Amino acid sequence: MVATSNPSAALAGIEILRKGGNAIEAALAAAISMPVVEPTCNGLGADLFAIISYKNKLYGINGSGRSPKKISIQALREKSYEDMPFFGVDSVNTPGAVGAWFEIYNKFGKLPLKEIFEPAINYAKNGYALSPKVAKLWDDEVNKYKNLKDICGLEEFFKVFSDKGKAPKAGDIVKNDNLKNTLEEILETEGKSFYSGDLARKISSSVKDLGGFLDIDDLKAYKPLWVDPISTNYKGYDIWEMPPNGHGVSVLMALNILNKLTLTDREDPKTLHKIIEAIKIAMTDGKTYISDPSFMKKRVDELLSDEYAEKRKKLIGICAKNYKNILPISPSTVYMATADSDGNMVSLIQSNYNGFGSGIVVPTTGIALNNRLANFSFDSNSVNALSGGKLPYHTIIPGFISKDNKSIGPFGIMGGFMQPQAHVQVLTNMIDFNLNPQAALDAPRFMWTGDKNVEMEMDYGNYMINTLKEFGHNMIIRSDYTDMGRGQIILRLENGSYVGATEKRTDGYIGIY
């Protein structure tokens, strides 16, 4: 089974399974296709995280890049910045996804690399039909970059990813010769060109021409990290996330708090109030403590301790509390889940951060560079303060579920700072309220955006909304669900069958072979 936000990417994974590939190779084929078929949310300049269950053992890979060695808060101040740049060449971090693809393949791959790259190259060369949600996101992105009039270097973006300033429409057949050629070069050199060869020189040269910091030494120094996923037991299920620099730990912190509370009917406003407050506490502490692990002042085991959860539980009362923590909204990122007949499963997520990222596209290559530096802090006293060669606070988080030392399956919901919040909501829907995976994804969601502000889908009834207002929440009702996350789930039943689910909020697709 392959479940992704994009039908073309899902079919790429299914094609690999039909050829005898495993779940890991299927996930790679989908991930390599995503910069072609859903470039609005990731690209060849993206980062990647994955949790892999292979022969019932969990592996984690951190495919995020470090900040350029020559960058610093002082260097940005000298360029007249008063906060971290969100777009443009000064927001570009070292890309990690391409290197992570090869690291994963070298550990688990069996099929020839050419077969795994073939779907993506075919999509770029021969075209694919643009799906409706991606078309909308593409149009939003083109209009966004049009309004960034003070940002230098956006010309190549419009040249490669628009037609005279207009985005392609749903149903259009989209091709990209630049991406085709670049993918072929990445394949032929097994990724070496991207980090130390011709592509690396093109990336560093284009950044240098625009006055940016990323250079070829940063690319040469990049290495993905194999890490142990972290977990907590939530009401009998082990919930797994990636350790920092990602903020998956905030999911586990919130669940630990909820473990100590009684959640009754999901239609009860008191229940939703408890979930909202637990998320607010965990996200606020996450923004305070999460960073490059070498800089963290609190260990993960401290944040996941029973003492921490007990102390934080006491902060939840009958009234909404105010936490000064402004969280930017973004519908970006792509997620994919895969599973094979041997029980191997993958939870993989990939992102440029915000849309196409920095808006900087390397000429002739189609490589859209990320804007992940925006997640650093401009406050030199923060554990997440910008400095050279450092991993940033990272928003993309693949999830995984196991029980009694047996892998059950991958899950993930994309969308910036919505991701931990959606993880908690979907997990409580399944575990506390006994919803099946599809119903758990389809259920209405909320998003805390800072202070007492809670954005809520209009599917919630008036009683829920009005009662939460009485509790002190500032309710903002949303009719557009784009920012509320786009997720997929695959769960393995005891008989070996798989159950798959995908979002109503995206063009998701579940492929079965």
Side-chain angles (χ1 to χ4, degrees):
M1 181 177 283
V2 179
T4 79
S5 60
N6 188 283
S8 298
L11 291 172
I14 289 296
E15 184 177 332
I16 295 303
L17 292 177
R18 288 185 184 278
K19 291 181 176 180
N22 59 31
I24 299 96
E25 293 164 318
L28 286 174
I32 295 165
S33 295
M34 276 295 195
V36 181
V37 300
E38 198 163 330
T40 53
C41 294
N42 76 135
L44 294 179
D47 284 341
L48 174 159
F49 286 78
I51 298 176
I52 298 166
S53 175
Y54 183 71
K55 296 183 179 180
N56 206 47
K57 180 181 178 181
L58 292 185
Y59 300 81
I61 186 164
N62 180 331
S64 65
R66 296 181 180 274
S67 58
K69 291 179 181 178
K70 295 177 182 178
I71 203 169
S72 66
I73 293 174
Q74 181 58 34
L76 289 178
R77 289 190 188 280
E78 290 172 1
K79 298 181 78 169
S80 300
Y81 287 103
E82 297 180 357
D83 203 347
M84 290 303 305
F86 207 84
F87 299 108
V89 74
D90 293 325
S91 69
V92 176
N93 205 34
T94 307
V98 172
W101 294 342
F102 289 93
E103 189 75 12
I104 294 169
Y105 174 80
N106 290 335
K107 191 174 186 71
F108 298 106
K110 296 177 182 177
L111 292 179
L113 261 175
K114 183 178 180 181
E115 293 189 16
I116 295 172
F117 270 77
E118 188 174 34
I121 291 171
N122 282 341
Y123 286 139
K125 178 181 178 181
N126 300 315
Y128 61 94
L130 188 64
S131 59
K133 176 59 72 172
V134 179
K136 179 188 182 303
L137 291 171
W138 206 319
D139 186 60
D140 291 345
E141 287 294 298
V142 168
N143 289 326
K144 178 183 77 178
Y145 291 114
K146 280 182 180 178
N147 290 326
L148 298 176
K149 301 185 186 302
D150 295 332
I151 302 296
C152 295
L154 300 182
E155 297 81 9
E156 188 70 11
F157 165 79
F158 288 106
K159 180 179 177 181
V160 175
F161 292 107
S162 76
D163 182 8
K164 298 178 180 178
K166 293 184 178 180
K169 295 181 172 58
D172 284 355
I173 303 301
V174 179
K175 303 177 184 179
N176 193 317
D177 288 336
N178 286 336
L179 278 178
K180 177 192 79 73
N181 295 335
T182 297
L183 285 168
E184 288 176 340
E185 184 167 344
I186 290 171
L187 168 62
E188 290 167 4
T189 64
E190 296 187 1
K192 294 180 178 62
S193 178
F194 194 91
Y195 291 100
S196 59
D198 187 52
L199 289 174
R201 286 186 285 272
K202 288 180 179 179
I203 293 169
S204 59
S205 176
S206 62
V207 170
K208 182 179 179 181
D209 288 347
L210 292 168
F213 295 92
L214 183 74
D215 62 26
I216 197 164
D217 289 336
D218 297 307
L219 293 165
K220 287 179 178 178
Y222 171 71
K223 185 172 178 56
L225 302 173
W226 289 104
V227 299
D228 293 326
I230 57 176
S231 70
T232 197
N233 187 277
Y234 185 69
K235 301 180 180 178
Y237 292 88
D238 291 316
I239 309 302
W240 298 86
E241 299 278 352
M242 291 288 285
N245 54 314
H247 63 175
V249 64
S250 60
V251 176
L252 306 182
M253 292 155 65
L255 292 177
N256 282 345
I257 296 170
L258 293 174
N259 252 332
K260 295 181 173 295
L261 301 172
T262 301
L263 303 182
T264 55
D265 184 353
R266 61 182 295 271
E267 303 294 336
D268 185 346
K270 292 180 181 178
T271 292
L272 197 59
H273 167 73
K274 292 174 185 176
I275 296 173
I276 292 171
E277 292 298 295
I279 286 173
K280 288 162 64 175
I281 292 168
M283 294 286 288
T284 299
D285 283 356
K287 286 283 282 183
T288 301
Y289 298 120
I290 294 169
S291 179
D292 183 321
S294 301
F295 291 79
M296 287 179 62
K297 295 178 181 178
K298 276 190 180 291
R299 302 190 312 271
V300 168
D301 60 351
E302 291 182 73
L303 296 173
L304 297 183
S305 68
D306 187 70
E307 291 78 13
Y308 165 85
E310 186 64 35
K311 184 179 179 180
R312 289 298 187 258
K313 179 202 75 170
K314 294 177 181 177
L315 296 176
I316 299 177
I318 60 172
C319 295
K321 285 194 168 59
N322 190 24
Y323 294 93
K324 294 289 184 181
N325 187 7
I326 305 303
L327 305 177
I329 297 172
S330 173
S332 301
T333 303
V334 292
Y335 174 78
M336 55 219 80
T338 63
D340 64 29
S341 58
D342 293 323
N344 304 310
M345 293 173 272
V346 179
S347 182
L348 188 151
I349 197 161
Q350 193 166 271
S351 179
N352 267 356
Y353 183 38
N354 186 275
F356 281 89
S358 62
I360 305 302
V361 176
V362 180
T364 74
T365 69
I367 298 172
L369 295 172
N370 66 73
N371 61 328
R372 190 57 68 175
L373 283 179
N375 271 161
F376 277 108
S377 173
F378 213 64
D379 178 2
S380 58
N381 295 317
S382 168
V383 295
N384 188 43
L386 174 69
S387 62
K390 185 177 179 180
L391 294 170
Y393 178 112
H394 222 290
T395 57
I396 61 176
I397 51 172
F400 204 90
I401 305 172
S402 68
K403 185 178 176 66
D404 299 329
N405 296 316
K406 291 183 180 179
S407 293
I408 292 179
F411 71 95
I413 302 97
M414 59 205 86
F417 288 90
M418 178 60 188
Q419 291 183 50
Q421 305 187 55
H423 278 212
V424 172
Q425 292 175 68
V426 169
L427 288 167
T428 53
N429 282 341
M430 289 194 293
I431 297 171
D432 291 280
F433 310 129
N434 201 33
L435 297 186
N436 67 51
Q438 189 61 56
L441 284 174
D442 285 344
R445 289 194 196 133
F446 67 83
M447 174 170 51
W448 175 59
T449 57
D451 298 334
K452 294 185 180 181
N453 299 324
V454 179
E455 303 204 2
M456 180 168 277
E457 293 180 346
M458 62 187 301
D459 291 1
Y460 282 105
N462 288 334
Y463 173 69
M464 177 71 78
I465 293 167
N466 291 333
T467 305
L468 289 172
K469 285 181 180 178
E470 292 175 5
F471 292 163
H473 299 283
N474 178 28
M475 306 305 297
I476 303 161
I477 310 307
R478 295 284 295 270
S479 58
D480 182 351
Y481 300 167
T482 302
D483 296 328
M484 290 293 182
R486 299 179 297 135
Q488 284 74 40
I489 301 170
I490 295 177
L491 301 181
R492 192 169 194 250
L493 304 181
E494 290 186 6
N495 66 3
S497 296
Y498 291 108
V499 175
T502 186
E503 282 278 0
K504 66 180 182 181
R505 301 169 184 83
T506 191
D507 302 322
Y509 185 82
I510 302 169
I512 302 170
Y513 167 62

